[in-house]
Amino acid sequence: MSNKILKVGVFTSGGDAPGMNAAIRAVARSCAYYKLECVGIMRGYEGMIEGDIAPLDARAVGNILQRGGTVLKSARSKEFRTPEGRKKAHDHLKKHNIDALVAIGGDGTFTGLHKFYEEYQVPSILIPGTIDNDLTGTDYTIGYDTATNTAVEAIDKIRDTAMSHNRLFFIEVMGRHSGYIAIHAGIAGGAASVVIPEETMSFEDLYKILGEGEDTSKKSNLVVVAEGSKIGDAHALAKKVAERSSYFDIKVTVLGHLQRGGSPTYFDRVLASRMGVAAIEGLLNGENGVMVGIKDNNMVYSSFESVIGKHHEIDAESMRIAKILSI
Amino acid sequence: MSNKILKVGVFTSGGDAPGMNAAIRAVARSCAYYKLECVGIMRGYEGMIEGDIAPLDARAVGNILQRGGTVLKSARSKEFRTPEGRKKAHDHLKKHNIDALVAIGGDGTFTGLHKFYEEYQVPSILIPGTIDNDLTGTDYTIGYDTATNTAVEAIDKIRDTAMSHNRLFFIEVMGRHSGYIAIHAGIAGGAASVVIPEETMSFEDLYKILGEGEDTSKKSNLVVVAEGSKIGDAHALAKKVAERSSYFDIKVTVLGHLQRGGSPTYFDRVLASRMGVAAIEGLLNGENGVMVGIKDNNMVYSSFESVIGKHHEIDAESMRIAKILSI
Amino acid sequence: MSNKILKVGVFTSGGDAPGMNAAIRAVARSCAYYKLECVGIMRGYEGMIEGDIAPLDARAVGNILQRGGTVLKSARSKEFRTPEGRKKAHDHLKKHNIDALVAIGGDGTFTGLHKFYEEYQVPSILIPGTIDNDLTGTDYTIGYDTATNTAVEAIDKIRDTAMSHNRLFFIEVMGRHSGYIAIHAGIAGGAASVVIPEETMSFEDLYKILGEGEDTSKKSNLVVVAEGSKIGDAHALAKKVAERSSYFDIKVTVLGHLQRGGSPTYFDRVLASRMGVAAIEGLLNGENGVMVGIKDNNMVYSSFESVIGKHHEIDAESMRIAKILSI
Amino acid sequence: MSNKILKVGVFTSGGDAPGMNAAIRAVARSCAYYKLECVGIMRGYEGMIEGDIAPLDARAVGNILQRGGTVLKSARSKEFRTPEGRKKAHDHLKKHNIDALVAIGGDGTFTGLHKFYEEYQVPSILIPGTIDNDLTGTDYTIGYDTATNTAVEAIDKIRDTAMSHNRLFFIEVMGRHSGYIAIHAGIAGGAASVVIPEETMSFEDLYKILGEGEDTSKKSNLVVVAEGSKIGDAHALAKKVAERSSYFDIKVTVLGHLQRGGSPTYFDRVLASRMGVAAIEGLLNGENGVMVGIKDNNMVYSSFESVIGKHHEIDAESMRIAKILSI
């Protein structure tokens, strides 16, 4: 960019994730540190289209670091998918003298920004904030650590009940396209099996694992199922098992949206803090049209093209570990 | 009882509740304190029928106070409903020289014990352990405080997301016949409305409350629904609202079995501890065929007849408070 | 009061307690419900003296129910102890047309308000907010339930370490004049002994209890000590035991201010909600110069004279339970 | 090793850390998976010297994954520092036909094992379990993630109180030689400053940072101090600031041993699970005299010589981030 950046607009978009506030704070404070102006754009692209924009100085982001959700709120915007919507948004950015954008969100957010960037070339940086950890270009997304811990705490509670009653529980966790929460929550929760979108386990394979429990002293079992399971969601799997055998006393719990909320873990706060700083420092160093990521504990920048629409592959190692430990 | 009590059998039955282990510990330690023998009967009436019985001295119950579930496990027993099953159970009690029983559970447990008591006159005391707080004869049942806090923590997380997105959430909590968890979790969670089995709110009433939100600056709303709602469960209510208006961005979460587990609160641990001591001291003082309860912070004993099959009424005061505060 | 109440000022004062925000919200929303104006006075008597006063409508208290601390902040005010200070405060109340006061705090707060009330007769109601549960006129104060749970969660963590190492831990909890947190956290935490200000246990008594552990298989022990212990604080007791015997591997943890913070439990939120409503309804019904309290689950009002400077006695029953269960 | 490994002994030693039980479980289950026998050695080197050794099959480690502390208990052994003590230990290993050792602990544990390994050449693998994250050869040690979250949760609670009262808090966290917990808890807790053993900040530097707060609207401040601070511990620093200025209302909290306990996070459970599997697979693949570590998310093995007595350096990046964000 030849033009100097003086004023940055930050926003959150798509599903909220714990740690988004820590990222917003880091962006605002880094701007203050580097003597840039910072404004917050409310409700993602909706607020950009409506001009719902307010100053965000270092003090305005005090005491939000530890909070779930996003103080800038989030929304999905149909209008931003139209050229007219994006035009309105750009007009507001110009009116507010916003030189650069920092977007915090997931793949949907990125797709929208990519289009906007191609049309208007506003210097833009993405920060990956989504509990699903389904983005390539970064080892971890903001919110994943917290959501997985939330899932594990729920599983621990269910285990108390499962063990008291010798029951089989199907526990559904978030992850429409990605088994990250499921596989790690499954290992950490001591699941008998984990069903994820990425894997090709058949229902027969699953049933066999549960059946093996019949012969051992293991009477209670937990199965963790990712939303995006290819062989049926938690309710469907429970039904199939019940149809096959009356041996099991089966229950189902779908954790749902509580996985999105809650105070972020130290990991997500530190990750969000680092990414927020890296976004502003990146902008100042001429980075543009990129996503900030963490790779092997270093901040890296990847081009929009290299991350958008790509899938973060699940590690085979985790699948192997889950299997060995459920013996 | 003319015969002196020398050996007590304790068991848990029905749905597990946080604090059951604290009650088991208190029974075992009180026995030790008063120089009685104590044995644990596994899996409720099932273990009594099978003779699955083991000594429970003061040390055997070390380090269980803080754990959810029940170390004695729990089960529902069909066989105990037959005279033959109860005969087998009684034979095992005789064989083990068990002079008295302490049962920890809810209404189902009590019904079984009542029948058994009428047939065999084994000195028996009930301890109310159920998250539902649906028993008369006591202000609180063991597990209720913990379960309500678990529900509130989940609601807090969902609120983060609701506020970030201006959403309407229907959150279903446990309580098939009782709105206790719902009403208190609703007040504590700042719900716009609470739907409970005891109340005669119509769907129109509910819709009106939500609709009022349209006119105010209150954009996100939570509705807490007890399992036993008479106007539809959380999914049904969400569907009805969606059919009526597209204004709301609606989501549903059913908290389910995670409400049963988890480490008990101080309140449930102290309550369970007091009830366990009161059960043994009651037996030693000739109490028999009674349930231990807490009333206005005092331990009281109520006859089986006065508590079994009765319903703990919801306090009208709580309903009133919920309404005022959701203004 | 002959004059009708139209505008209420609410403030928090003294040490903060979890649930104060829930009480503030309940006061503000009850005012809205009953068509009264409500203003918040910042930093207790300091803000009253300085005129740091702002409107508090139903929406202004949104999303604070679940937060620790107090959004109105708190402070101790030396100036309010002088007639000049109180004069200034009264002038500000008049200037803002404040007809009545609701004070949320503990004994120190009450003493200040009592004096002010005697001088200026501003209709006033107290809400007991302090983690210590050391006020008479109410079974529970706002914050006590949360603080005790916080203490118990910390004790649970320390128990993990104690049991892994066969150690003796002295854990100091808050309570300068009151052993309430200590005794209930001690029972719930499975303490070998509890040292509280109210009791006359000598160091020899305590040492004997610990010594008894030497002969049993109980290798790790926890002793919960209230701040106001008459036989030495946690560090002092640890030192005395170490001087007497090298048998024990002794550690000390002073929980300190973390007991004041954190999101309130459902119990404290509901209690605070009920008390806030009762304060406003009390004012409307002519209650004045009283503290709101909860007795046997009912809201009651007690005169300033009957509660200020009094002490909430610890129940002997709890001491007895603690002793039986640490066998 | 030319001799085939048939039986593995696992033990924990030194300070306990959350996740040690998950590592024990992973070792025992991996042994079962690979058809090796596994035994648990109680209380570290003490149990080895005394022959306190028991079988540890796949079922014996059920339901421990989520628990803090260590079921094998831990102790420091003076006798193992003598040749006679190590001789006794080796005799017991021989008597039990133990072919290989897996030790879970920190630098002290490793030093002991190194000596033993040099003398007796028993195939040995170390698993780094310590909350301090002070070992080289691994990016993370087991327990660090949980301990840092525990510290941050405590800081969040203290922040509620600090903000309600405009106070300055000094919060001391664990870390005698390492500032890892402090720096990450400091960033995540929004600390105004972090004092760690590795850094050369003077008291004047610290005082200046706090003083800068006087001029801003930032009235409450938190300073996180690592145990091993070179410029005074939390109490000493508070005293120095109080001597310099009466502006601050200063409080101190020393978190202490509660940082060691608690249920491990998903991260620590997964890390421990992976390391436990890697230890057994390493032994089977001829790894010996090495520590298992995680580097850039891969399992690696480092020789005893390369890790013992070395220090894991704090990353300069974190110090920089902490500074920018406390603006």
Side-chain angles (χ1 to χ4, degrees), chain B residues 25-26 29-30 32-34 58-59 63 65-66 140 144-145 148-149 152 156 159 163 184 187-190 217-218 263 265-267 269-270 273-274 277 281 296 317 320-321 324-325 327, chain C residues 25-26 29-30 32-34 58-59 63 65-66 140 144-145 148-149 152 156 159 163 184 187-190 217-218 263 265-267 269-270 273-274 277 281 296 317 320-321 324-325 327:
Chain B
R25 171 181 177 268
R29 294 235 165 140
S30 299
Y33 187 83
Y34 289 110
R59 292 288 74 74
N63 209 25
L65 175 62
Q66 77 278 23
Y140 297 103
Y144 171 67
D145 190 78
T148 308
N149 277 308
V152 169
D156 284 353
R159 170 196 289 274
M163 296 211 47
H184 282 152
I187 295 174
S217 58
K218 229 178 158 177
S263 183
T265 58
Y266 105 81
F267 187 94
R269 298 188 200 183
V270 171
S273 297
R274 289 181 67 181
V277 173
E281 293 185 341
D296 298 345
E317 180 63 11
R320 210 175 66 82
I321 297 289
I324 292 175
L325 297 181
I327 193 172
Chain C
R25 170 180 178 270
R29 296 236 164 137
S30 300
Y33 186 84
Y34 289 109
R59 291 287 76 72
N63 208 23
L65 175 63
Q66 77 278 25
Y140 297 104
Y144 171 68
D145 190 77
T148 307
N149 276 309
V152 169
D156 283 352
R159 170 197 289 274
M163 295 212 48
H184 283 152
I187 293 174
S217 57
K218 227 178 157 176
S263 183
T265 57
Y266 106 82
F267 187 95
R269 297 187 200 184
V270 171
S273 297
R274 291 181 67 180
V277 173
E281 295 186 339
D296 298 344
E317 180 63 11
R320 207 175 69 80
I321 297 290
I324 291 175
L325 297 182
I327 193 171

Side-chain angles (χ1 to χ4, degrees), chain C residues 35-228:
Chain C
K35 317 287 185 205
L36 305 178
E37 255 190 280
C38 183
V39 294
I41 303 167
M42 299 300 294
R43 293 168 296 118
Y45 299 116
E46 284 286 314
M48 207 184 288
I49 288 169
E50 297 171 17
D52 191 354
I53 295 171
L56 212 60
D57 68 12
R59 291 287 76 72
V61 293
N63 208 23
I64 68 168
L65 175 63
Q66 77 278 25
R67 296 210 179 127
T70 158
V71 294
L72 296 179
K73 293 183 186 270
S74 183
R76 292 173 208 275
S77 170
K78 278 184 200 165
E79 198 177 352
F80 196 74
R81 291 192 209 147
T82 68
E84 296 73 25
R86 291 193 293 273
K87 174 72 167 59
K88 280 192 211 168
H90 187 245
D91 289 348
H92 278 296
L93 296 187
K94 278 206 297 191
K95 197 173 131 197
H96 282 83
N97 296 316
I98 295 172
D99 304 313
L101 289 173
V102 176
I104 307 167
D107 199 58
T109 306
F110 294 0
T111 306
L113 190 59
H114 192 191
K115 190 86 189 162
F116 189 68
Y117 179 73
E118 287 178 338
E119 288 172 0
Y120 295 103
Q121 287 86 38
V122 180
S124 299
I125 295 224
L126 301 170
I127 293 178
T130 163
I131 62 167
D132 287 341
N133 204 28
D134 58 352
L135 298 171
T136 192
T138 191
D139 292 342
Y140 297 104
T141 56
I142 296 168
Y144 171 68
D145 190 77
T146 306
T148 307
N149 276 309
T150 300
V152 169
E153 283 162 25
I155 292 171
D156 283 352
K157 287 184 172 140
I158 291 169
R159 170 197 289 274
D160 285 341
T161 283
M163 295 212 48
S164 296
H165 289 279
N166 294 338
R167 270 174 180 165
L168 171 60
F169 262 93
F170 287 89
I171 304 169
E172 190 169 306
V173 300
M174 282 198 163
R176 224 166 288 170
H177 307 293
S178 169
Y180 261 97
I181 294 177
I183 187 69
H184 283 152
I187 293 174
S193 189
V194 180
V195 184
I196 61 174
E198 288 90 342
E199 229 220 0
T200 53
M201 181 167 66
S202 69
F203 176 73
E204 290 306 319
D205 295 336
L206 174 63
Y207 190 80
K208 193 157 160 269
I209 289 165
L210 302 178
E212 286 169 13
E214 291 191 56
D215 309 324
T216 73
S217 57
K218 227 178 157 176
K219 291 280 178 49
S220 64
N221 267 326
L222 306 175
V223 177
V224 174
V225 184
E227 257 181 313

Side-chain angles (χ1 to χ4, degrees), chain D:
Chain D
M1 292 303 304
S2 54
N3 294 338
K4 218 181 147 200
I5 291 167
L6 297 171
K7 191 167 181 181
V8 174
V10 58
F11 63 96
T12 51
S13 170
D16 64 312
M20 280 186 163
N21 282 327
I24 293 166
R25 171 181 177 268
V27 167
R29 296 236 165 137
S30 300
C31 283
Y33 188 85
Y34 289 111
K35 318 287 184 203
L36 304 179
E37 256 189 283
C38 183
V39 293
I41 302 167
M42 299 300 293
R43 289 168 299 118
Y45 299 118
E46 284 287 313
M48 206 183 290
I49 288 169
E50 296 171 16
D52 192 355
I53 295 169
L56 213 59
D57 67 14
R59 291 288 75 74
V61 294
N63 209 23
I64 67 168
L65 176 62
Q66 77 275 28
R67 299 216 176 122
T70 158
V71 294
L72 296 180
K73 295 184 184 274
S74 184
R76 292 174 209 278
S77 170
K78 277 184 198 163
E79 199 177 350
F80 196 75
R81 291 190 210 149
T82 66
E84 295 74 25
R86 292 192 293 274
K87 173 73 166 56
K88 281 192 210 170
H90 187 245
D91 288 348
H92 278 297
L93 297 186
K94 277 205 297 190
K95 198 174 129 196
H96 282 83
N97 297 316
I98 295 170
D99 303 314
L101 290 174
V102 176
I104 307 167
D107 200 57
T109 306
F110 295 180
T111 306
L113 191 60
H114 192 192
K115 188 83 190 164
F116 188 68
Y117 179 73
E118 289 179 337
E119 288 173 0
Y120 295 102
Q121 288 86 40
V122 181
S124 298
I125 295 222
L126 300 168
I127 294 179
T130 163
I131 63 169
D132 288 341
N133 204 27
D134 59 352
L135 297 171
T136 192
T138 191
D139 291 342
Y140 297 103
T141 55
I142 296 167
Y144 171 69
D145 189 78
T146 305
T148 307
N149 276 310
T150 299
V152 168
E153 283 162 26
I155 292 171
D156 283 352
K157 287 185 172 139
I158 290 169
R159 170 197 289 273
D160 284 341
T161 283
M163 297 214 44
S164 297
H165 289 277
N166 294 338
R167 271 176 179 160
L168 171 59
F169 263 92
F170 287 90
I171 303 168
E172 189 170 306
V173 300
M174 282 196 163
R176 222 166 290 171
H177 308 292
S178 167
Y180 261 96
I181 293 177
I183 187 69
H184 282 152
I187 294 173
S193 190
V194 180
V195 184
I196 60 174
E198 288 90 343
E199 228 219 1
T200 54
M201 179 165 66
S202 69
F203 175 74
E204 290 306 319
D205 296 334
L206 174 64
Y207 190 81
K208 194 157 159 267
I209 290 165
L210 302 178
E212 286 168 12
E214 290 191 58
D215 310 323
T216 73
S217 58
K218 225 178 159 178
K219 290 279 177 49
S220 65
N221 265 326
L222 306 176
V223 177
V224 174
V225 184
E227 255 180 315
S229 153
K230 294 283 194 287
I231 59 172
D233 65 15
H235 282 289
L237 289 171
K239 208 174 149 219
K240 276 194 206 177
V241 171
E243 283 166 4
R244 187 75 72 89
S245 161
S246 64
Y247 173 81
F248 300 101
D249 180 9
I250 308 172
K251 299 280 172 189
V252 175
T253 297
V254 178
L255 295 185
H257 278 77
L258 65 93
Q259 293 164 89
R260 289 203 178 283
S263 183
T265 57
Y266 106 81
F267 187 94
D268 275 330
R269 297 188 201 183
V270 171
L271 179 64
S273 297
R274 291 181 66 180
M275 286 182 165
V277 173
I280 296 306
E281 294 185 340
L283 278 173
L284 291 173
N285 292 330
E287 293 289 352
N288 186 359
V290 297
M291 184 188 86
V292 177
I294 188 166
K295 288 270 192 185
D296 299 344
N297 204 27
N298 295 310
M299 289 288 116
V300 296
Y301 302 89
S302 307
S303 71
F304 284 5
E305 289 76 13
S306 68
V307 296
I308 293 173
K310 300 295 189 299
H311 186 71
H312 187 186
E313 282 195 31
I314 205 93
D315 56 320
E317 180 63 10
S318 291
M319 292 304 298
R320 209 175 67 84
I321 297 289
K323 201 180 157 194
I324 291 174
L325 297 181
S326 63
I327 193 171

Side-chain angles (χ1 to χ4, degrees), chain B residues 24-293:
Chain B
I24 293 166
R25 171 181 177 268
V27 167
R29 294 235 165 140
S30 299
C31 284
Y33 187 83
Y34 289 110
K35 317 287 184 205
L36 304 178
E37 257 189 280
C38 184
V39 294
I41 302 167
M42 299 301 293
R43 293 169 296 116
Y45 299 116
E46 284 287 315
M48 205 184 290
I49 288 169
E50 297 172 15
D52 192 355
I53 295 170
L56 213 59
D57 67 13
R59 292 288 74 74
V61 293
N63 209 25
I64 67 168
L65 175 62
Q66 77 278 23
R67 297 210 181 130
T70 158
V71 294
L72 297 179
K73 297 185 183 271
S74 184
R76 292 174 210 275
S77 170
K78 279 184 198 164
E79 197 177 351
F80 196 73
R81 290 189 209 148
T82 66
E84 296 71 28
R86 291 194 293 275
K87 173 72 169 57
K88 280 193 210 167
H90 186 244
D91 288 348
H92 278 298
L93 297 187
K94 276 205 299 190
K95 196 175 131 195
H96 282 83
N97 297 314
I98 294 172
D99 304 313
L101 290 175
V102 175
I104 307 168
D107 199 57
T109 306
F110 295 0
T111 305
L113 191 58
H114 193 191
K115 190 84 189 160
F116 189 68
Y117 178 72
E118 287 179 337
E119 289 172 358
Y120 296 103
Q121 287 87 39
V122 180
S124 298
I125 295 222
L126 302 169
I127 294 178
T130 163
I131 63 168
D132 288 340
N133 204 29
D134 58 353
L135 297 172
T136 192
T138 191
D139 291 341
Y140 297 103
T141 55
I142 296 168
Y144 171 67
D145 190 78
T146 305
T148 308
N149 277 308
T150 299
V152 169
E153 283 162 26
I155 292 171
D156 284 353
K157 287 185 173 140
I158 290 168
R159 170 196 289 274
D160 286 340
T161 282
M163 296 211 47
S164 297
H165 289 277
N166 294 337
R167 271 177 180 162
L168 171 60
F169 262 93
F170 287 89
I171 304 168
E172 188 170 306
V173 301
M174 282 198 162
R176 225 165 288 171
H177 308 291
S178 168
Y180 261 97
I181 293 177
I183 187 69
H184 282 152
I187 295 174
S193 190
V194 179
V195 184
I196 60 174
E198 290 90 342
E199 229 218 357
T200 55
M201 181 165 67
S202 68
F203 176 72
E204 290 306 319
D205 296 335
L206 174 65
Y207 190 80
K208 192 156 162 267
I209 290 166
L210 301 178
E212 285 169 13
E214 291 191 56
D215 309 324
T216 72
S217 58
K218 229 178 158 177
K219 292 277 179 51
S220 64
N221 266 325
L222 307 176
V223 177
V224 174
V225 183
E227 255 181 316
S229 156
K230 295 280 193 290
I231 58 172
D233 65 14
H235 281 290
L237 289 171
K239 206 172 152 223
K240 278 193 205 176
V241 172
E243 284 166 5
R244 187 77 71 88
S245 163
S246 65
Y247 173 82
F248 300 102
D249 180 6
I250 307 173
K251 298 281 173 186
V252 175
T253 298
V254 178
L255 296 185
H257 278 78
L258 65 91
Q259 294 165 85
R260 290 205 178 280
S263 183
T265 58
Y266 105 81
F267 187 94
D268 274 331
R269 298 188 200 183
V270 171
L271 179 64
S273 297
R274 289 181 67 181
M275 286 182 166
V277 173
I280 296 306
E281 293 185 341
L283 278 174
L284 290 173
N285 292 329
E287 294 288 354
N288 186 1
V290 296
M291 184 189 88
V292 177

Side-chain angles (χ1 to χ4, degrees), chain A residues 12-279:
Chain A
T12 50
S13 172
D16 64 314
M20 279 186 164
N21 282 327
I24 293 165
R25 172 182 177 267
V27 167
R29 294 234 165 140
S30 300
C31 284
Y33 187 85
Y34 289 110
K35 317 286 183 206
L36 305 178
E37 255 190 283
C38 183
V39 294
I41 303 165
M42 298 301 293
R43 292 169 295 120
Y45 298 117
E46 283 286 313
M48 205 184 290
I49 288 169
E50 298 171 16
D52 192 354
I53 294 170
L56 213 59
D57 69 11
R59 291 288 72 74
V61 292
N63 208 25
I64 66 167
L65 175 62
Q66 78 277 25
R67 297 213 178 126
T70 158
V71 294
L72 297 179
K73 294 182 186 273
S74 184
R76 291 173 211 275
S77 170
K78 279 183 200 167
E79 198 176 351
F80 196 74
R81 291 191 209 150
T82 67
E84 297 72 26
R86 292 193 293 274
K87 172 75 166 59
K88 282 192 210 168
H90 187 243
D91 288 348
H92 279 296
L93 296 187
K94 276 204 300 190
K95 196 174 132 199
H96 282 84
N97 298 314
I98 294 171
D99 305 314
L101 290 174
V102 176
I104 308 167
D107 198 57
T109 307
F110 294 0
T111 306
L113 191 59
H114 193 193
K115 190 85 190 160
F116 190 68
Y117 179 73
E118 288 179 338
E119 288 172 0
Y120 296 103
Q121 288 86 40
V122 181
S124 299
I125 296 224
L126 302 169
I127 294 179
T130 163
I131 62 168
D132 287 340
N133 204 29
D134 58 352
L135 298 169
T136 191
T138 190
D139 292 339
Y140 296 103
T141 56
I142 296 168
Y144 171 68
D145 190 77
T146 305
T148 308
N149 276 308
T150 299
V152 169
E153 283 162 26
I155 293 171
D156 284 352
K157 287 183 172 138
I158 290 169
R159 169 197 290 276
D160 286 341
T161 283
M163 296 212 47
S164 296
H165 289 276
N166 294 338
R167 272 176 178 158
L168 171 60
F169 263 94
F170 287 89
I171 304 169
E172 188 170 307
V173 300
M174 282 197 161
R176 223 164 291 170
H177 308 292
S178 168
Y180 261 98
I181 293 178
I183 186 70
H184 282 151
I187 294 174
S193 189
V194 180
V195 184
I196 60 174
E198 289 90 342
E199 228 219 358
T200 54
M201 181 166 64
S202 69
F203 174 73
E204 291 305 320
D205 295 335
L206 173 63
Y207 190 81
K208 190 154 161 270
I209 289 165
L210 302 177
E212 285 169 12
E214 291 191 57
D215 310 324
T216 73
S217 58
K218 230 178 158 178
K219 292 276 177 52
S220 64
N221 266 327
L222 307 175
V223 176
V224 174
V225 183
E227 256 180 315
S229 155
K230 295 283 194 288
I231 57 171
D233 65 15
H235 282 290
L237 288 172
K239 207 172 149 222
K240 276 195 208 175
V241 171
E243 284 166 4
R244 186 77 71 89
S245 161
S246 64
Y247 172 82
F248 300 102
D249 179 8
I250 307 174
K251 300 280 172 187
V252 175
T253 297
V254 178
L255 295 185
H257 278 77
L258 65 92
Q259 294 164 88
R260 289 205 178 281
S263 183
T265 57
Y266 106 81
F267 187 94
D268 275 329
R269 298 188 200 184
V270 170
L271 179 65
S273 297
R274 291 181 66 180
M275 286 182 165
V277 172

